[in-house]
């Protein structure tokens, strides 16, 4: 027999020990909207146009390639479309200097007079020998027979003989149906001309050129990417300050002003004229969002959204499209916050509880169950650390709870930087001065701005240390008390945009690694207030991120809280409320309920609440001093969640009853001495076929014993054909285990490689999870690789060709080896639930041998004679033996049922 249990049961046992914090969405009062889902698909774009709708699709256009296009049916999943130009209009070569198509920049699109008017710039970098042209088409749908872009020629041009630069067009109508275009880049700033509302061209060759914004405060006059938008009684002018096109070195930030007249003057929120280096900050670098720019506003059904590009710090600064809700303040200023946090509680590994910046444990760094705080990170002071994506470093508040073992100075709790000469920020428990120190520099040690405590961090005691920076001052806190302030600390981490982002390791190779334990590290995109530094921390642990509900469902929730220093609070500190949010209204459907760590509520079987809007689960924590903090999670109606499990003790039947597979061409399920019944594939023609619904998976995990052989053998391959698939291969062309997904063949492939080859002829546990923002690869229970550019889900490429052991490519070899305990889920399962499927039981000569991975990260084996509320779990005290990374324990069978699980001690 083989041990197995439903994931819902196992989750009930384990989830109460795990804590997540989900980022709150800051809303303008009176506006109710669920936290937006991340965009997926083909998001690479620079200088995006305003999003525009044609028929039932949304379109956006971008720089280069003859003006690239992308489209979406739902504003979430975007696909690549055709370019506007396949050959350059002859007149443009005088400005681009080539017949190529990469000199076509910064398009804008607007619909009037029965045509879509696309304005574009042609130029070469760094000059003002530039022009703006116009192309028109009756439709944006390339499948429509009438689809055809016709170039209408020049609108306006510039040359070294003038002080402006004709790029970055933006088009708007005024309240009297006059048509206007703003444009400009560097030189003398942003200009405005009137257009002919019939032709779309300049109203006359010598019409007035208005100056409406400039930035002379910074060398080089970095102002460009203007955007005009009429809202209410005002015209709003958005511009970009700073430099673009440099990846993570880009300094773009978006400023705004407004005027009651389209020709200006445009004043910022303080009443200052934008002609004189003024403008209210709207959006700047934070987190992974480097250098946001090129805004465009789209309105639909009374709601406003804005598109823009940013340089993704998690993907080496790749230009990326984003599309977000836009709000308006009561005094009619545009408002948006991409405020964020990353929370590392080291529950089994280095994941960010907010699912954006996953950390990887390095060189044997491990998680240990501390009797006071629960799971903590243990670093040995020799070579262990945690590696984070670069975007996590662009924070303005950093909070760490740690227990330092002492030792040499210059150990790092964290160090985020680019090396020793190009900027860094660090926290050391003891500098050479003997004191706790935070330092930040954009150059080297000679340029450090410092916050220094009055002594070293304590040893052998849990201590909370926090740092806030807001560009005007820095504050250092120890256990919630400010101990140092530096009003000359003008730098923040986004000014550095670190690429080497570590817990426990220094930018300086000769500095020692951190020796001690870290309970948690929390990073915030803004500078927290003193009250927020000492506020409790409520965490919602269930339902899982991305969970959906259907009419008639019962939704269970759970959570817990700690004080500001990670000390657990009792359930008496918790208060729950559940709200139903629908268009313009909020109804409380449960609570407030105090004194419980979990609960549930019912979704009606029919009606508005069953299928529309969303539900918000709100948790308020109150500490022993009466300080409070609030967290919430939004869940939406959607498809039912499922987890399929294949133990192969009944051929390829799904033990959970969702998606039964079929053994093809003689595939067998023999008994393995370690795993019991397993799937055996010969490498010739054998595989398992699975139904089409399995392609909606977000988690795949399995025990694999690979027999070796040629590259491109598939552990699984789910999709449509060889241009639309998601697959896991035991060996890619580089010899590594690889996950790969693509919606459009090799041009849009996202890969995720393991750091080392998959072992042969040894049982190895492999898993991959996706959430639409990133893919994570696990080997033997440890996250070993993260790719933050995998903004796809297998459901985006789902089809009827779904295999274990076979490929979409007919020339690829079949899998050669054995597979067991395949778990496939529609949810992005956390590591503990992936681990839950890993216990095996094999009977032999009147004895039972249990096996489970030796890499279970602090989990221990426990047993019980029954399940449910009265079930009492007892730790199994016998010590297992370990072989090839698998624990083995032989027990004598009893005459009564016995259940086993892995749990925290």
């Amino acid at each position: 027999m083989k041990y197995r249990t439903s994931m819902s049961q196992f989750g009930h046992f384990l989830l109460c020990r795990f804590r997540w914090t989900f980022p709150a969405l800051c809303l303008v009062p009176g506006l109710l909207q669920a936290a937006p889902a991340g965009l997926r698909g083909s998001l690479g774009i620079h200088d995006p146009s305003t999003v525009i709708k044609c028929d039932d699709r949304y379109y956006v256009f971008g720089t280069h390639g003859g003006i690239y296009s992308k489209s979406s049916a739902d504003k979430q999943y975007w696909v690549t479309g055709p370019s506007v130009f396949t050959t350059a209009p002859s007149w443009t070569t005088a400005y681009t200097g080539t017949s190529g198509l990469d000199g076509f920049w910064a398009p804008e699109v607007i619909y009037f007079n029965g045509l879509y008017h696309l304005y574009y710039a042609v130029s070469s970098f760094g000059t003002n020998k530039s022009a703006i042209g116009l192309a028109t088409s009756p439709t944006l749908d390339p499948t429509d027979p009438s689809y055809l872009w016709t170039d209408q020629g020049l609108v306006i041009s510039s040359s070294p003989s003038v002080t402006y630069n004709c790029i970055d067009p933006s088009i708007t109508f005024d309240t009297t149906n006059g048509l206007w275009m703003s444009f400009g880049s560097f030189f003398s700033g942003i200009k405005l001309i009137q257009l002919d509302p019939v032709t779309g061209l300049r109203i006359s060759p010598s019409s007035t050129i208005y100056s409406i914004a400039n930035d002379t405060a910074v060398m080089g006059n970095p102002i460009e990417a203007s955007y005009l938008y009429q809202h209410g009684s005002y015209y709003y002018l958005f511009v970009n300050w700073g430099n673009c096109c440099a990846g993570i070195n880009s300094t773009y930030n978006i400023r705004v002003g407004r005027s009651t007249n389209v020709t200006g003057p445009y004043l910022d929120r303080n009443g200052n004229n934008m002609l004189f280096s003024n403008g209210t900050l709207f959006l700047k670098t934070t987190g992974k969002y480097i250098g946001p720019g090129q805004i465009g506003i789209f309105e639909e059904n009374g709601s406003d959204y804005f598109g823009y590009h940013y340089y993704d710090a998690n993907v080496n600064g790749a230009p990326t499209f984003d599309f977000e809700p836009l709000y308006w303040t009561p005094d009619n200023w545009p408002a948006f916050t991409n405020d964020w946090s990353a929370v590392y509680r080291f529950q089994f590994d280095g994941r960010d509880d907010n699912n954006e910046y996953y950390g990887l444990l390095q060189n044997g760094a491990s998680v240990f169950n501390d009797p006071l705080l629960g799971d903590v990170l243990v670093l040995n002071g020799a070579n262990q650390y945690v590696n984070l994506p670069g975007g996590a470093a662009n924070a303005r508040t950093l909070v760490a709870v740690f227990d330092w073992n002492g030792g040499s100075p210059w150990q790092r709790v964290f160090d985020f930087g680019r090396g020793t000469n190009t900027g860094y920020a660090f926290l050391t428990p003891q500098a050479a001065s003997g004191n706790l120190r935070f330092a930040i520099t954009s150059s080297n040690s000679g340029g450090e701005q410092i916050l220094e405590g009055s002594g070293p961090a304590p040893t052998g005691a849990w201590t909370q240390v926090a740092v806030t920076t807001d560009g005007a001052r820095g504050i250092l806190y120890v256990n919630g008390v400010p101990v140092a302030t530096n009003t000359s600390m003008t730098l923040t981490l986004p000014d550095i945009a670190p690429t080497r982002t570590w817990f426990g390791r220094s930018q300086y190779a000769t500095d020692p690694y951190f020796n001690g334990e870290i309970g948690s590290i929390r990073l915030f995109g803004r500078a927290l207030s003193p009250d927020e530094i000492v506020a409790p921390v409520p965490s919602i642990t269930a339902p899982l991120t991305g969970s959906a509900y259907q009419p008639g469902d019962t939704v269970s929730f759970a959570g817990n809280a700690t004080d500001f220093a990670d000390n657990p609070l009792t359930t008496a500190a918790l208060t729950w409320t559940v709200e139903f949010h629908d268009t313009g209204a909020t109804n409380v459907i449960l609570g407030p309920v105090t004194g419980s760590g979990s609960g549930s509520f019912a979704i009606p079987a029919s009606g508005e609440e069953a299928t529309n809007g969303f539900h918000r689960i709100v948790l308020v924590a109150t500490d022993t001093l009466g300080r409070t903090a609030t967290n919430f999670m939004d869940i939406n109606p959607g498809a039912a969640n499922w987890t399929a499990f294949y133990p192969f003790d009944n051929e390829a039947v799904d033990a959970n009853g969702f998606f039964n597979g079929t053994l093809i061409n003689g595939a067998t399920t023999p008994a393995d001495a370690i795993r019991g019944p397993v799937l055996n594939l010969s490498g010739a023609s054998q595989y398992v076929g699975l139904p089409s619904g399995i392609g909606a998976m977000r988690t795949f995990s399995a025990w694999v014993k690979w027999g070796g052989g040629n590259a491109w053998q598939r552990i699984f391959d789910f999709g449509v054909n060889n241009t639309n698939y998601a697959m896991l291969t035991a060996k890619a062309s580089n010899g590594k285990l690889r996950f790969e997904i693509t919606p459009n063949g090799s041009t849009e492939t996202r890969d995720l490689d393991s750091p080392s080859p998959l072992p042969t002829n040894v049982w190895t546990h492999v898993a991959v999870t996706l959430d639409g923002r990133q893919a994570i690869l696990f080997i033997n229970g440890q996250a070993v690789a993260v790719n933050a550019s995998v903004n796809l889900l297998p459901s985006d490429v789902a089809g009827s060709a779904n295999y274990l052991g076979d490929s979409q490519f007919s020339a690829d070899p079949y899998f050669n080896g054995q597979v067991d305990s395949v778990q496939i889920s529609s949810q992005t399962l956390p590591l503990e639930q992936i681990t839950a499927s890993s216990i095996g039981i094999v009977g032999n000569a009147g004895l039972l041998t249990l096996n489970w991975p030796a890499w279970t990260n602090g989990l221990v084996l426990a047993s019980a004679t029954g399940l449910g509320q009265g079930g009492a779990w007892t730790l199994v005290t016998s010590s297992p033996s370990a072989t090839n990374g698998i624990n083995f324990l032989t027990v004598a069978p009893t005459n009564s049922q016995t259940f086993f699980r892995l749990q925290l001690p």
Side-chain angles (χ1 to χ4, degrees):
M1 64 174 290
K2 182 172 292 181
Y3 173 91
R4 60 183 182 270
T5 183
S6 74
M7 299 318 299
S8 60
Q9 289 175 319
F10 207 98
H12 174 74
F13 297 140
L14 287 182
L15 281 177
C16 62
R17 293 290 294 124
F18 306 138
R19 305 184 297 255
W20 288 272
T21 297
F22 293 86
L25 174 67
C26 295
L27 299 179
V28 176
L31 295 175
L32 305 173
Q33 188 164 349
L39 303 189
R40 306 192 319 280
S42 179
L43 303 181
I45 200 168
H46 204 279
D47 304 325
S49 71
T50 300
V51 169
I52 191 168
K53 191 173 185 181
C54 175
D55 298 328
D56 58 353
R57 291 191 70 83
Y58 305 87
Y59 294 82
V60 66
F61 299 85
T63 284
H64 295 322
I67 306 299
Y68 291 121
S69 75
K70 299 181 186 296
S71 69
S72 173
D74 60 2
K75 303 189 293 289
Q76 292 294 315
Y77 179 68
W78 294 82
V79 298
T80 299
S83 292
V84 172
F85 296 109
T86 56
T87 59
S90 59
W91 69 269
T92 64
T93 60
Y95 300 94
T96 63
T98 175
S99 60
L101 297 173
D102 279 349
F104 288 69
W105 297 348
E108 179 61 317
V109 62
I110 187 172
Y111 182 78
F112 60 91
N113 293 343
L115 293 172
Y116 291 90
H117 291 66
L118 185 136
Y119 294 81
Y120 60 92
V122 284
S123 186
S124 55
F125 201 82
T127 78
N128 72 333
K129 186 178 181 181
S130 310
I132 294 171
L134 170 64
T136 58
S137 175
T139 180
L140 301 180
D141 180 2
T143 67
D144 189 315
S146 65
Y147 174 83
L148 178 66
W149 286 106
T150 301
D151 188 60
Q152 304 295 344
L154 179 75
V155 178
I156 189 174
S157 65
S158 57
S159 69
S161 64
V162 299
T163 61
Y164 53 85
N165 190 13
C166 289
I167 68 169
D168 296 352
S170 172
I171 314 298
T172 193
F173 279 95
D174 64 23
T175 55
T176 62
N177 290 321
L179 187 63
W180 299 83
M181 180 176 76
S182 66
F183 63 92
S185 172
F186 285 63
F187 296 90
S188 60
I190 306 302
K191 308 299 180 181
L192 180 75
I193 61 171
Q194 190 169 9
L195 303 180
D196 186 329
V198 176
T199 65
L201 300 175
R202 189 173 180 181
I203 198 164
S204 72
S206 59
S207 63
T208 302
I209 299 177
Y210 299 89
S211 294
I212 55 176
N214 202 2
D215 179 20
T216 59
V218 180
M219 184 178 298
N221 301 345
I223 185 172
E224 57 188 359
S226 66
Y227 179 73
L228 280 172
Y229 183 70
Q230 191 269 323
H231 174 79
S233 57
Y234 291 99
Y235 300 93
Y236 291 82
L237 175 63
F238 296 82
V239 298
N240 269 74
W241 287 6
N243 293 304
C244 80
C245 316
I248 61 171
N249 296 315
S250 301
T251 59
Y252 253 7
N253 59 92
I254 301 175
R255 307 275 170 159
V256 65
R258 70 186 185 187
S259 175
T260 56
N261 191 318
V262 70
T263 58
Y266 286 89
L267 309 180
D268 66 16
R269 204 163 188 172
N270 294 321
N272 298 314
N273 195 320
M274 293 182 71
L275 273 171
F276 307 109
S277 305
N278 297 304
T280 297
L281 182 67
F282 175 75
L283 199 59
K284 63 181 178 179
T285 291
T286 188
K288 71 176 186 179
Y289 302 91
I290 302 287
Q294 205 78 32
I295 189 174
I297 298 174
F298 172 75
E299 181 180 354
E300 185 176 47
N301 300 326
S303 296
D304 287 345
Y305 305 84
F306 73 100
Y308 68 104
H309 77 237
Y310 65 95
Y311 304 93
D312 193 336
N314 288 352
V315 194
N316 299 316
T320 305
F321 180 59
D322 194 21
F323 192 64
E324 298 285 353
L326 179 69
Y327 307 107
W328 298 89
T329 64
D331 58 346
N332 283 316
W333 283 95
F336 170 73
T337 175
N338 54 356
D339 192 17
W340 60 276
S341 65
V343 179
Y344 300 90
R345 297 182 183 278
F346 306 109
Q347 303 288 310
F348 292 94
D349 63 0
R351 68 173 176 244
D352 165 21
D353 292 354
N354 291 335
N355 304 301
E356 190 76 70
Y357 304 103
Y358 211 108
L360 298 179
L361 307 186
Q362 304 292 315
N363 300 327
S366 60
V367 174
F368 170 77
N369 188 257
D370 178 80
L372 178 62
L373 301 191
D375 279 8
V376 299
L377 174 69
V378 180
L379 300 176
N380 63 6
N383 64 347
Q384 295 174 348
Y385 66 101
V386 179
N387 187 38
L388 306 178
N394 293 312
R396 290 173 173 82
T397 296
L398 307 98
V399 184
V401 176
F402 60 90
D403 182 355
W404 182 42
N405 291 337
S408 301
W410 299 120
Q411 298 176 41
R412 299 294 202 268
V413 178
F414 62 79
D415 195 328
F416 302 161
R418 295 188 172 200
T420 58
N421 292 307
T422 51
Y424 54 77
F426 68 79
L427 177 67
T428 179
Q430 183 179 4
S433 64
N435 297 325
L436 174 75
R437 177 181 292 181
F438 170 80
I440 185 170
T441 177
S442 58
S443 55
N444 52 35
S445 60
E448 286 183 358
Q449 300 175 8
I450 293 172
L451 289 165
E452 185 123 347
S454 58
T459 58
W462 287 106
T463 305
Q464 188 230 41
V465 177
V467 176
T468 63
T469 60
D470 61 9
R473 67 174 181 174
I475 304 175
L476 176 68
Y477 299 81
V478 175
N479 291 327
V481 178
V483 298
T485 299
N486 184 343
T487 56
S488 298
M489 185 168 280
T490 56
L491 289 172
T492 66
L493 273 158
D495 298 322
I496 302 168
T499 57
R500 292 150 50 107
T501 307
W502 300 320
F503 298 154
R505 179 182 174 183
S506 171
Q507 306 292 321
Y508 289 84
T510 57
D511 285 344
Y513 288 74
F514 182 79
N515 180 17
E517 301 172 352
I518 300 177
S520 70
I521 294 182
R522 293 182 291 143
L523 311 173
F524 298 86
R526 61 183 175 84
L528 298 189
S529 69
D531 288 343
E532 290 173 311
I533 295 294
V534 295
V537 183
S539 301
I540 298 173
T541 63
L544 291 178
T545 305
S547 295
Y549 58 82
Q550 291 188 308
D553 279 356
T554 296
V555 177
S556 297
F557 55 84
N560 51 52
T562 67
D563 69 9
F564 71 94
D566 283 1
N567 297 296
L569 299 176
T570 68
T571 56
L574 307 181
T575 300
W576 296 91
T577 306
V578 178
E579 303 166 348
F580 172 61
H581 290 227
D582 203 0
T583 306
T586 300
N587 294 312
V588 175
I589 64 168
L590 177 70
V593 176
T594 300
S596 176
S598 61
S600 63
F601 63 96
I603 303 296
S606 61
E608 188 79 5
E609 188 182 341
T611 57
N612 296 315
F614 63 95
H615 286 78
R616 175 165 291 173
I617 301 168
V618 182
L619 175 60
V620 178
T622 305
D623 67 14
T624 56
L625 296 179
R627 297 175 295 212
T628 64
T630 301
N631 199 354
F632 68 81
M633 171 190 262
D634 293 332
I635 57 173
N636 296 274
N641 301 311
W642 51 265
T643 296
F645 184 66
Y646 301 91
F648 301 110
D649 56 3
N650 184 16
E651 295 189 338
V653 171
D654 173 10
N656 291 336
F658 292 104
F659 302 104
N660 292 330
T662 303
L663 302 179
I664 306 295
N665 295 333
T668 59
T669 56
D672 176 78
I674 294 176
R675 299 292 310 167
V678 299
L679 173 66
N680 188 76
L681 300 175
S682 65
S685 61
Q686 297 173 348
Y687 64 98
V688 173
L690 295 173
S692 58
I694 203 79
M697 72 99 175
R698 295 189 177 197
T699 298
F700 178 95
S701 69
W703 282 97
V704 176
K705 188 177 182 181
W706 181 43
N710 292 332
W712 302 118
Q713 296 178 44
R714 299 295 203 269
I715 297 171
F716 75 83
D717 196 328
F718 299 162
V720 180
N721 50 38
N722 60 15
T723 61
N724 296 77
Y725 60 83
M727 68 87 169
L728 181 66
T729 180
K731 181 182 178 181
S733 58
N734 62 3
K736 307 292 182 63
L737 176 73
R738 172 179 291 177
F739 170 77
E740 183 172 290
I741 184 170
T742 178
N744 191 25
S746 60
T747 60
E748 295 190 28
T749 296
R750 279 79 150 178
D751 294 335
L752 178 63
D753 287 351
S754 66
S756 57
L758 180 68
T760 57
N761 300 313
V762 175
W763 282 110
T764 305
H765 197 269
V766 299
V768 61
T769 65
L770 303 98
D771 63 7
R773 293 178 290 186
Q774 59 188 349
I776 304 164
L777 184 64
F778 300 85
I779 296 179
N780 286 340
Q782 182 171 345
V784 297
V786 177
N787 186 337
S789 70
V790 183
N791 43 34
L792 289 166
L793 293 170
S795 57
D796 297 326
V797 298
S800 59
N802 303 297
Y803 315 122
L804 300 178
D806 193 10
S807 169
Q808 307 291 337
F809 292 80
S810 59
D812 287 342
Y814 290 81
F815 182 81
N816 173 32
Q818 297 177 324
V819 181
D820 188 32
S821 296
V822 174
Q823 178 181 243
I824 306 172
S825 179
S826 64
Q827 294 182 279
T828 308
L829 298 181
L831 178 58
E832 55 272 18
Q833 290 204 27
I834 295 172
T835 304
S837 67
S838 62
I839 301 177
I841 300 179
V842 178
N844 185 23
L847 297 174
L848 295 177
T849 299
L850 285 75
N851 61 80
W852 68 95
W855 38 261
T856 44
N857 298 336
L859 292 177
V860 296
L861 189 69
S863 66
T865 57
L867 301 177
Q869 296 292 335
W873 290 88
T874 303
L875 297 184
V876 175
T877 57
S878 301
S879 298
S881 60
T883 302
N884 293 326
I886 300 175
N887 286 330
F888 295 90
L889 181 66
T890 300
V891 297
T894 66
N895 291 324
S896 61
Q897 65 181 2
T898 303
F899 298 87
F900 294 92
R901 76 179 187 187
L902 297 171
Q903 67 175 44
L904 293 170

